Amino acid sequence: MKIAMNTLFDKIWDKHVVQIVDDGPTQLYIDRMYCHEVTSPQAFEGMRERGMKCFRPALIFCMPDHNTPTRDQDKPIEDPVSRHQVETLAKNCEEFGLPHFAMNSSDNGIIHVVGPEKGLSLPGMTIVCGDSHTSTHGAVGAVAFGIGTSEVEMVMASQCILQQKPKSMRISINGELNKGVTAKDVALYLMAKLTTSGATGYFVEYAGQVVHEMSMEGRLTLCNLSIEMGARGGFVAPDETTFAYLKGREYAPKGAEWEKAVEVWRKLRSNEDAVFDKELEFDAADIEPRITYGTNPGMGIGIDECIPTLDSIPLSGQASFLKSLDYMGFKPGESLLGKPIDYVFLGACTNGRIEDFRAFASVVKGRRKAAEVTAWLVPGSWTVFRKIAEEGIDRILEEAGFEIRQPGCSACLAMNGDKIPTGKYCVSTSNRNFEGRQGPGARTILASPVVAAAAAVNGCITDPRKY
């Protein structure tokens, strides 16, 4: 059996080890913790019951995102449960002295969008949050992963966490991406190849020409979806793209401290002779714009491919395959091109960044939204919201018949007012297509911003390469 060594993951992990429990987990120091309103209340209550204070409150940043409405944020939240959770987070932050990016403030947004864009997430860090998509922050060259509520309390109390060290995997994608193919398509392709459990137990380092040439926004999307392959997390070694993105950010080092930091960050890479527990390599030429057809993110196809036939599915998986298609209203062997859709959602911590809005606008510019389609375009933060206006993207979208909503998790999950009605189809740039994820009975088709834009204009699933 190969033993991973000299990998970047090992270097970051080992540097943060406080102690290793005999025949047990590792006590790992955490540089940054993010908290939102859903998974933190029980942790705060546990701290209160024990009479404890946060060990290093300046390293814990909190903001509501899951329950925030995407309209009228200056008014009280109508749903009593959502309102209670958001208000409770504000009270807990005040009581425990934690930085709080309140709803409708200029700092607010989706926690996994705000962290990197403010320079709170930096290379070489260990980062946790009570949210599975914490893997997003790995794009800056950090070891970032989701934790449970009891572990949130553990970090509040000690700035440490007990964890078993994952195995190490490197996924390399080489060659040049085809026209119309985005980071989201790369991630959906990997999920289809590995399945939603293919990276279970591993921390993934993404490498190769495709990843090296990706923008930071693309890398954030790719790392965001690591968890959907079963991975503990995913990350990209920091490089000039990383440094250019982080320079000048609010919480990034400044002046001489910046130069010192970059000097250290340049050394954060796996050795040439690094040995991984598992290595996989893929050819960019094999990836085309993609969509999902089922009820997990690994059930995906190239946009001009057909849903698999029943005889191509292993016998053990045929029952769940048919159940999934029945929920979606699809048939084995069916092509989805031209399939009418009802909703389009652009946003989430997967695709709610400025690059995603630029891509969406590039398709709809000079065209009109299909009258039968309801489109929710939701920035991942107020910073993104402002950039949309500064770059004139808002005018392009409005002229095409679209409305830009206020920041929040929105229709990624049914925890706020943006729910897809039962039986309706939504082409969504979010990260999960589980049954009921976007609302009871909602049917989700995961896609990139350009695929979503093409669907919004045509009113059906459309190959974006025609534009």
Side-chain angles (χ1 to χ4, degrees), residues 124-165:
M125 278 186 166
T126 49
I127 300 172
V128 297
C129 175
D131 186 285
S132 58
H133 293 105
T134 307
S135 57
T136 308
H137 305 266
V140 302
V143 168
F145 51 93
I147 57 176
T149 297
S150 61
E151 293 170 315
V152 171
E153 183 181 346
M154 187 186 303
V155 177
M156 286 179 178
S158 67
Q159 206 57 37
C160 292
I161 191 170
L162 296 175
Q163 289 282 292
Q164 294 287 351
K165 185 178 181 181

mmCIF file of all heavy atoms in Angstrom, residues 124-165:
data_model
loop_
_atom_site.group_PDB
_atom_site.id
_atom_site.type_symbol
_atom_site.label_atom_id
_atom_site.label_comp_id
_atom_site.label_asym_id
_atom_site.label_seq_id
_atom_site.Cartn_x
_atom_site.Cartn_y
_atom_site.Cartn_z
ATOM 1 N N GLY A 124 -2.336 28.000 2.891
ATOM 2 C CA GLY A 124 -1.696 27.357 4.028
ATOM 3 C C GLY A 124 -2.544 27.259 5.267
ATOM 4 O O GLY A 124 -2.141 26.647 6.266
ATOM 5 N N MET A 125 -3.724 27.839 5.260
ATOM 6 C CA MET A 125 -4.604 27.817 6.427
ATOM 7 C C MET A 125 -5.322 26.480 6.585
ATOM 8 O O MET A 125 -5.493 25.738 5.621
ATOM 9 C CB MET A 125 -5.672 28.911 6.307
ATOM 10 C CG MET A 125 -5.248 30.292 6.708
ATOM 11 S SD MET A 125 -6.703 31.411 6.670
ATOM 12 C CE MET A 125 -6.042 32.815 7.572
ATOM 13 N N THR A 126 -5.758 26.223 7.806
ATOM 14 C CA THR A 126 -6.787 25.224 8.059
ATOM 15 C C THR A 126 -8.072 26.002 8.330
ATOM 16 O O THR A 126 -8.086 26.944 9.127
ATOM 17 C CB THR A 126 -6.450 24.333 9.264
ATOM 18 O OG1 THR A 126 -6.075 25.158 10.379
ATOM 19 C CG2 THR A 126 -5.316 23.377 8.930
ATOM 20 N N ILE A 127 -9.155 25.620 7.638
ATOM 21 C CA ILE A 127 -10.413 26.362 7.693
ATOM 22 C C ILE A 127 -11.563 25.386 7.887
ATOM 23 O O ILE A 127 -11.624 24.347 7.212
ATOM 24 C CB ILE A 127 -10.634 27.161 6.392
ATOM 25 C CG1 ILE A 127 -9.497 28.157 6.177
ATOM 26 C CG2 ILE A 127 -11.979 27.874 6.405
ATOM 27 C CD1 ILE A 127 -9.532 28.842 4.812
ATOM 28 N N VAL A 128 -12.474 25.698 8.796
ATOM 29 C CA VAL A 128 -13.633 24.839 9.013
ATOM 30 C C VAL A 128 -14.901 25.687 9.110
ATOM 31 O O VAL A 128 -14.855 26.887 9.369
ATOM 32 C CB VAL A 128 -13.503 23.979 10.299
ATOM 33 C CG1 VAL A 128 -12.337 23.020 10.199
ATOM 34 C CG2 VAL A 128 -13.383 24.867 11.538
ATOM 35 N N CYS A 129 -16.030 25.023 8.896
ATOM 36 C CA CYS A 129 -17.346 25.631 9.056
ATOM 37 C C CYS A 129 -18.345 24.496 9.186
ATOM 38 O O CYS A 129 -18.114 23.408 8.641
ATOM 39 C CB CYS A 129 -17.678 26.513 7.841
ATOM 40 S SG CYS A 129 -19.352 27.223 7.847
ATOM 41 N N GLY A 130 -19.432 24.740 9.871
ATOM 42 C CA GLY A 130 -20.470 23.722 9.996
ATOM 43 C C GLY A 130 -21.302 23.632 8.736
ATOM 44 O O GLY A 130 -22.520 23.814 8.766
ATOM 45 N N ASP A 131 -20.638 23.359 7.619
ATOM 46 C CA ASP A 131 -21.282 23.337 6.305
ATOM 47 C C ASP A 131 -20.402 22.517 5.369
ATOM 48 O O ASP A 131 -19.194 22.745 5.294
ATOM 49 C CB ASP A 131 -21.427 24.768 5.777
ATOM 50 C CG ASP A 131 -22.225 24.838 4.495
ATOM 51 O OD1 ASP A 131 -21.693 24.466 3.429
ATOM 52 O OD2 ASP A 131 -23.380 25.275 4.542
ATOM 53 N N SER A 132 -20.991 21.579 4.654
ATOM 54 C CA SER A 132 -20.201 20.650 3.840
ATOM 55 C C SER A 132 -19.415 21.345 2.737
ATOM 56 O O SER A 132 -18.345 20.877 2.339
ATOM 57 C CB SER A 132 -21.113 19.576 3.236
ATOM 58 O OG SER A 132 -22.125 20.164 2.450
ATOM 59 N N HIS A 133 -19.930 22.474 2.222
ATOM 60 C CA HIS A 133 -19.255 23.113 1.094
ATOM 61 C C HIS A 133 -18.128 24.057 1.493
ATOM 62 O O HIS A 133 -17.671 24.879 0.703
ATOM 63 C CB HIS A 133 -20.284 23.805 0.199
ATOM 64 C CG HIS A 133 -21.178 22.808 -0.478
ATOM 65 N ND1 HIS A 133 -22.476 22.593 -0.078
ATOM 66 C CD2 HIS A 133 -20.937 21.932 -1.492
ATOM 67 C CE1 HIS A 133 -23.009 21.625 -0.822
ATOM 68 N NE2 HIS A 133 -22.095 21.210 -1.676
ATOM 69 N N THR A 134 -17.651 23.870 2.733
ATOM 70 C CA THR A 134 -16.456 24.581 3.192
ATOM 71 C C THR A 134 -15.254 24.241 2.315
ATOM 72 O O THR A 134 -14.275 24.991 2.255
ATOM 73 C CB THR A 134 -16.169 24.233 4.666
ATOM 74 O OG1 THR A 134 -17.351 24.464 5.427
ATOM 75 C CG2 THR A 134 -15.049 25.066 5.235
ATOM 76 N N SER A 135 -15.332 23.132 1.617
ATOM 77 C CA SER A 135 -14.244 22.755 0.705
ATOM 78 C C SER A 135 -13.962 23.835 -0.331
ATOM 79 O O SER A 135 -12.866 23.873 -0.913
ATOM 80 C CB SER A 135 -14.591 21.445 -0.012
ATOM 81 O OG SER A 135 -15.825 21.563 -0.712
ATOM 82 N N THR A 136 -14.904 24.736 -0.568
ATOM 83 C CA THR A 136 -14.724 25.853 -1.505
ATOM 84 C C THR A 136 -13.420 26.603 -1.248
ATOM 85 O O THR A 136 -12.686 26.957 -2.173
ATOM 86 C CB THR A 136 -15.900 26.854 -1.370
ATOM 87 O OG1 THR A 136 -17.124 26.152 -1.473
ATOM 88 C CG2 THR A 136 -15.816 27.934 -2.442
ATOM 89 N N HIS A 137 -13.116 26.853 0.012
ATOM 90 C CA HIS A 137 -11.980 27.692 0.385
ATOM 91 C C HIS A 137 -10.637 27.044 0.047
ATOM 92 O O HIS A 137 -9.601 27.713 0.080
ATOM 93 C CB HIS A 137 -12.045 28.023 1.876
ATOM 94 C CG HIS A 137 -13.346 28.654 2.286
ATOM 95 N ND1 HIS A 137 -13.537 30.013 2.354
ATOM 96 C CD2 HIS A 137 -14.547 28.098 2.622
ATOM 97 C CE1 HIS A 137 -14.780 30.273 2.723
ATOM 98 N NE2 HIS A 137 -15.421 29.123 2.884
ATOM 99 N N GLY A 138 -10.663 25.756 -0.293
ATOM 100 C CA GLY A 138 -9.437 25.087 -0.713
ATOM 101 C C GLY A 138 -8.853 25.675 -1.984
ATOM 102 O O GLY A 138 -7.682 25.458 -2.292
ATOM 103 N N ALA A 139 -9.654 26.434 -2.719
ATOM 104 C CA ALA A 139 -9.178 27.030 -3.968
ATOM 105 C C ALA A 139 -8.011 27.988 -3.757
ATOM 106 O O ALA A 139 -7.222 28.225 -4.675
ATOM 107 C CB ALA A 139 -10.323 27.757 -4.671
ATOM 108 N N VAL A 140 -7.890 28.549 -2.551
ATOM 109 C CA VAL A 140 -6.783 29.476 -2.288
ATOM 110 C C VAL A 140 -5.527 28.740 -1.819
ATOM 111 O O VAL A 140 -4.500 29.365 -1.536
ATOM 112 C CB VAL A 140 -7.169 30.549 -1.250
ATOM 113 C CG1 VAL A 140 -8.380 31.345 -1.708
ATOM 114 C CG2 VAL A 140 -7.402 29.943 0.133
ATOM 115 N N GLY A 141 -5.610 27.413 -1.722
ATOM 116 C CA GLY A 141 -4.462 26.646 -1.243
ATOM 117 C C GLY A 141 -4.542 26.367 0.243
ATOM 118 O O GLY A 141 -3.517 26.310 0.928
ATOM 119 N N ALA A 142 -5.766 26.212 0.745
ATOM 120 C CA ALA A 142 -5.986 25.925 2.164
ATOM 121 C C ALA A 142 -6.572 24.529 2.333
ATOM 122 O O ALA A 142 -7.166 23.984 1.405
ATOM 123 C CB ALA A 142 -6.947 26.957 2.768
ATOM 124 N N VAL A 143 -6.402 23.968 3.518
ATOM 125 C CA VAL A 143 -7.069 22.716 3.874
ATOM 126 C C VAL A 143 -8.372 23.108 4.567
ATOM 127 O O VAL A 143 -8.377 23.543 5.718
ATOM 128 C CB VAL A 143 -6.185 21.845 4.780
ATOM 129 C CG1 VAL A 143 -7.001 20.697 5.390
ATOM 130 C CG2 VAL A 143 -5.013 21.280 3.992
ATOM 131 N N ALA A 144 -9.475 23.003 3.840
ATOM 132 C CA ALA A 144 -10.773 23.480 4.322
ATOM 133 C C ALA A 144 -11.793 22.359 4.249
ATOM 134 O O ALA A 144 -11.883 21.676 3.227
ATOM 135 C CB ALA A 144 -11.234 24.673 3.481
ATOM 136 N N PHE A 145 -12.569 22.184 5.320
ATOM 137 C CA PHE A 145 -13.537 21.093 5.326
ATOM 138 C C PHE A 145 -14.699 21.402 6.272
ATOM 139 O O PHE A 145 -14.574 22.200 7.208
ATOM 140 C CB PHE A 145 -12.879 19.768 5.725
ATOM 141 C CG PHE A 145 -12.075 19.809 6.995
ATOM 142 C CD1 PHE A 145 -12.650 19.473 8.214
ATOM 143 C CD2 PHE A 145 -10.729 20.174 6.971
ATOM 144 C CE1 PHE A 145 -11.914 19.498 9.380
ATOM 145 C CE2 PHE A 145 -9.973 20.208 8.142
ATOM 146 C CZ PHE A 145 -10.563 19.862 9.353
ATOM 147 N N GLY A 146 -15.829 20.764 6.006
ATOM 148 C CA GLY A 146 -17.009 20.942 6.828
ATOM 149 C C GLY A 146 -16.941 20.111 8.094
ATOM 150 O O GLY A 146 -16.302 19.051 8.124
ATOM 151 N N ILE A 147 -17.609 20.604 9.148
ATOM 152 C CA ILE A 147 -17.625 19.892 10.428
ATOM 153 C C ILE A 147 -19.041 19.883 10.986
ATOM 154 O O ILE A 147 -19.915 20.626 10.531
ATOM 155 C CB ILE A 147 -16.657 20.529 11.449
ATOM 156 C CG1 ILE A 147 -17.008 22.008 11.672
ATOM 157 C CG2 ILE A 147 -15.214 20.369 10.977
ATOM 158 C CD1 ILE A 147 -16.157 22.689 12.744
ATOM 159 N N GLY A 148 -19.273 19.060 11.993
ATOM 160 C CA GLY A 148 -20.573 18.968 12.632
ATOM 161 C C GLY A 148 -20.737 19.998 13.737
ATOM 162 O O GLY A 148 -19.760 20.649 14.154
ATOM 163 N N THR A 149 -21.951 20.132 14.250
ATOM 164 C CA THR A 149 -22.235 21.158 15.258
ATOM 165 C C THR A 149 -21.437 20.957 16.536
ATOM 166 O O THR A 149 -20.958 21.920 17.134
ATOM 167 C CB THR A 149 -23.740 21.172 15.571
ATOM 168 O OG1 THR A 149 -24.450 21.533 14.393
ATOM 169 C CG2 THR A 149 -24.066 22.173 16.654
ATOM 170 N N SER A 150 -21.266 19.707 16.979
ATOM 171 C CA SER A 150 -20.472 19.464 18.193
ATOM 172 C C SER A 150 -19.021 19.871 17.964
ATOM 173 O O SER A 150 -18.342 20.341 18.892
ATOM 174 C CB SER A 150 -20.549 17.990 18.603
ATOM 175 O OG SER A 150 -20.026 17.151 17.584
ATOM 176 N N GLU A 151 -18.552 19.705 16.728
ATOM 177 C CA GLU A 151 -17.180 20.111 16.408
ATOM 178 C C GLU A 151 -17.059 21.635 16.321
ATOM 179 O O GLU A 151 -16.002 22.201 16.637
ATOM 180 C CB GLU A 151 -16.745 19.464 15.093
ATOM 181 C CG GLU A 151 -16.620 17.953 15.194
ATOM 182 C CD GLU A 151 -16.430 17.287 13.838
ATOM 183 O OE1 GLU A 151 -17.152 17.649 12.883
ATOM 184 O OE2 GLU A 151 -15.559 16.397 13.737
ATOM 185 N N VAL A 152 -18.137 22.301 15.898
ATOM 186 C CA VAL A 152 -18.145 23.767 15.913
ATOM 187 C C VAL A 152 -17.916 24.249 17.340
ATOM 188 O O VAL A 152 -17.108 25.158 17.593
ATOM 189 C CB VAL A 152 -19.481 24.311 15.360
ATOM 190 C CG1 VAL A 152 -19.581 25.823 15.591
ATOM 191 C CG2 VAL A 152 -19.612 24.004 13.873
ATOM 192 N N GLU A 153 -18.598 23.633 18.285
ATOM 193 C CA GLU A 153 -18.415 23.990 19.696
ATOM 194 C C GLU A 153 -16.984 23.720 20.152
ATOM 195 O O GLU A 153 -16.387 24.507 20.902
ATOM 196 C CB GLU A 153 -19.401 23.210 20.556
ATOM 197 C CG GLU A 153 -19.336 23.566 22.025
ATOM 198 C CD GLU A 153 -20.320 22.765 22.864
ATOM 199 O OE1 GLU A 153 -21.224 22.132 22.289
ATOM 200 O OE2 GLU A 153 -20.177 22.777 24.111
ATOM 201 N N MET A 154 -16.411 22.614 19.684
ATOM 202 C CA MET A 154 -15.046 22.257 20.042
ATOM 203 C C MET A 154 -14.057 23.336 19.596
ATOM 204 O O MET A 154 -13.160 23.734 20.347
ATOM 205 C CB MET A 154 -14.682 20.912 19.401
ATOM 206 C CG MET A 154 -13.344 20.334 19.828
ATOM 207 S SD MET A 154 -12.929 18.822 18.891
ATOM 208 C CE MET A 154 -14.346 17.780 19.249
ATOM 209 N N VAL A 155 -14.247 23.833 18.361
ATOM 210 C CA VAL A 155 -13.353 24.861 17.842
ATOM 211 C C VAL A 155 -13.577 26.185 18.573
ATOM 212 O O VAL A 155 -12.618 26.913 18.873
ATOM 213 C CB VAL A 155 -13.534 25.034 16.319
ATOM 214 C CG1 VAL A 155 -12.645 26.163 15.797
ATOM 215 C CG2 VAL A 155 -13.208 23.735 15.586
ATOM 216 N N MET A 156 -14.831 26.510 18.871
ATOM 217 C CA MET A 156 -15.093 27.727 19.645
ATOM 218 C C MET A 156 -14.323 27.703 20.972
ATOM 219 O O MET A 156 -13.733 28.704 21.393
ATOM 220 C CB MET A 156 -16.582 27.851 19.941
ATOM 221 C CG MET A 156 -17.435 28.262 18.757
ATOM 222 S SD MET A 156 -19.181 28.350 19.265
ATOM 223 C CE MET A 156 -19.939 28.916 17.734
ATOM 224 N N ALA A 157 -14.343 26.551 21.617
ATOM 225 C CA ALA A 157 -13.755 26.440 22.953
ATOM 226 C C ALA A 157 -12.239 26.353 22.948
ATOM 227 O O ALA A 157 -11.584 26.817 23.892
ATOM 228 C CB ALA A 157 -14.343 25.220 23.659
ATOM 229 N N SER A 158 -11.656 25.772 21.898
ATOM 230 C CA SER A 158 -10.217 25.470 21.939
ATOM 231 C C SER A 158 -9.424 25.902 20.715
ATOM 232 O O SER A 158 -8.199 25.838 20.726
ATOM 233 C CB SER A 158 -10.029 23.962 22.119
ATOM 234 O OG SER A 158 -10.484 23.274 20.956
ATOM 235 N N GLN A 159 -10.111 26.320 19.664
ATOM 236 C CA GLN A 159 -9.497 26.632 18.364
ATOM 237 C C GLN A 159 -8.784 25.405 17.787
ATOM 238 O O GLN A 159 -7.900 25.505 16.937
ATOM 239 C CB GLN A 159 -8.523 27.812 18.469
ATOM 240 C CG GLN A 159 -8.339 28.597 17.167
ATOM 241 C CD GLN A 159 -9.643 29.143 16.589
ATOM 242 O OE1 GLN A 159 -10.513 29.557 17.336
ATOM 243 N NE2 GLN A 159 -9.766 29.134 15.281
ATOM 244 N N CYS A 160 -9.217 24.237 18.251
ATOM 245 C CA CYS A 160 -8.675 22.970 17.757
ATOM 246 C C CYS A 160 -9.838 22.015 17.478
ATOM 247 O O CYS A 160 -10.967 22.232 17.919
ATOM 248 C CB CYS A 160 -7.731 22.320 18.775
ATOM 249 S SG CYS A 160 -6.198 23.219 19.035
ATOM 250 N N ILE A 161 -9.518 20.942 16.756
ATOM 251 C CA ILE A 161 -10.520 19.933 16.447
ATOM 252 C C ILE A 161 -9.846 18.568 16.427
ATOM 253 O O ILE A 161 -8.653 18.448 16.124
ATOM 254 C CB ILE A 161 -11.193 20.235 15.081
ATOM 255 C CG1 ILE A 161 -12.421 19.365 14.867
ATOM 256 C CG2 ILE A 161 -10.200 20.078 13.931
ATOM 257 C CD1 ILE A 161 -13.245 19.776 13.670
ATOM 258 N N LEU A 162 -10.601 17.536 16.781
ATOM 259 C CA LEU A 162 -10.100 16.167 16.709
ATOM 260 C C LEU A 162 -10.547 15.565 15.384
ATOM 261 O O LEU A 162 -11.741 15.515 15.093
ATOM 262 C CB LEU A 162 -10.627 15.340 17.884
ATOM 263 C CG LEU A 162 -10.168 15.775 19.273
ATOM 264 C CD1 LEU A 162 -10.865 14.929 20.338
ATOM 265 C CD2 LEU A 162 -8.654 15.658 19.409
ATOM 266 N N GLN A 163 -9.582 15.100 14.595
ATOM 267 C CA GLN A 163 -9.880 14.567 13.263
ATOM 268 C C GLN A 163 -8.955 13.406 12.924
ATOM 269 O O GLN A 163 -7.767 13.409 13.281
ATOM 270 C CB GLN A 163 -9.674 15.656 12.194
ATOM 271 C CG GLN A 163 -10.706 16.753 12.196
ATOM 272 C CD GLN A 163 -11.995 16.329 11.547
ATOM 273 O OE1 GLN A 163 -12.068 16.107 10.342
ATOM 274 N NE2 GLN A 163 -13.044 16.225 12.350
ATOM 275 N N GLN A 164 -9.506 12.434 12.216
ATOM 276 C CA GLN A 164 -8.668 11.408 11.608
ATOM 277 C C GLN A 164 -8.093 11.988 10.317
ATOM 278 O O GLN A 164 -8.816 12.619 9.551
ATOM 279 C CB GLN A 164 -9.486 10.149 11.290
ATOM 280 C CG GLN A 164 -10.008 9.418 12.513
ATOM 281 C CD GLN A 164 -8.936 8.670 13.277
ATOM 282 O OE1 GLN A 164 -7.795 8.539 12.823
ATOM 283 N NE2 GLN A 164 -9.281 8.166 14.452
ATOM 284 N N LYS A 165 -6.831 11.779 10.075
ATOM 285 C CA LYS A 165 -6.208 12.335 8.866
ATOM 286 C C LYS A 165 -6.705 11.582 7.630
ATOM 287 O O LYS A 165 -6.594 10.354 7.552
ATOM 288 C CB LYS A 165 -4.686 12.246 8.954
ATOM 289 C CG LYS A 165 -3.977 12.918 7.781
ATOM 290 C CD LYS A 165 -2.466 12.852 7.937
ATOM 291 C CE LYS A 165 -1.772 13.536 6.774
ATOM 292 N NZ LYS A 165 -0.284 13.471 6.897
#
